[in-house]
Amino acid sequence: MYYAIISEDVEDSLGRRTEVRPAHLARLETLRDEGRLLLAGPHPAIDAEDPGPAGFSGSLVIAEFESLEAARTWADADPYVSAGVYASVKVKPFRRVLP
């Protein structure tokens, strides 16, 4: 089943994001290579493709896991969590309807 991992950043998270981004992306690339990643990306803090110094307000990952517990465990191990980028992380079951 798919699960949505919805994360909200702390204020001024851009510097921390930049530092650990390679490790964060490596985990997402593993999910992609395993065929389990539906989509992933950040929420720009302003209405712009490249928010520049405004940074990001959070992230969304939708990926396949064997259970809600497995999705939570994966989310809790994210480098952005340990680096203090995220203020909160929610994990919810997701049912793909379209496309």
Side-chain angles (χ1 to χ4, degrees):
M1 177 169 202
Y2 284 111
Y3 294 88
I5 301 168
I6 307 152
S7 307
E8 295 292 327
D9 281 23
V10 298
E11 291 291 321
D12 300 317
S13 63
L14 188 57
R16 291 182 218 176
R17 271 182 169 269
T18 302
E19 284 179 27
V20 295
R21 187 170 189 263
H24 171 77
L25 290 178
R27 296 178 81 236
L28 293 170
E29 290 165 352
T30 298
L31 287 178
R32 180 200 61 205
D33 294 348
E34 294 171 350
R36 297 170 45 204
L37 183 65
L38 183 61
L39 65 88
H43 300 286
I46 60 173
D47 189 14
E49 181 72 24
D50 179 359
F56 301 92
S57 64
S59 301
L60 172 65
V61 174
I62 300 178
E64 189 174 24
F65 293 92
E66 58 190 46
S67 67
L68 179 59
E69 182 179 336
R72 284 185 178 144
T73 298
W74 186 91
D76 288 345
D78 193 294
Y80 282 175
V81 171
S82 58
V85 171
Y86 294 148
S88 67
V89 178
K90 291 181 185 177
V91 181
K92 302 166 94 172
F94 178 81
R95 191 175 70 129
R96 182 178 182 175
V97 175
L98 293 171

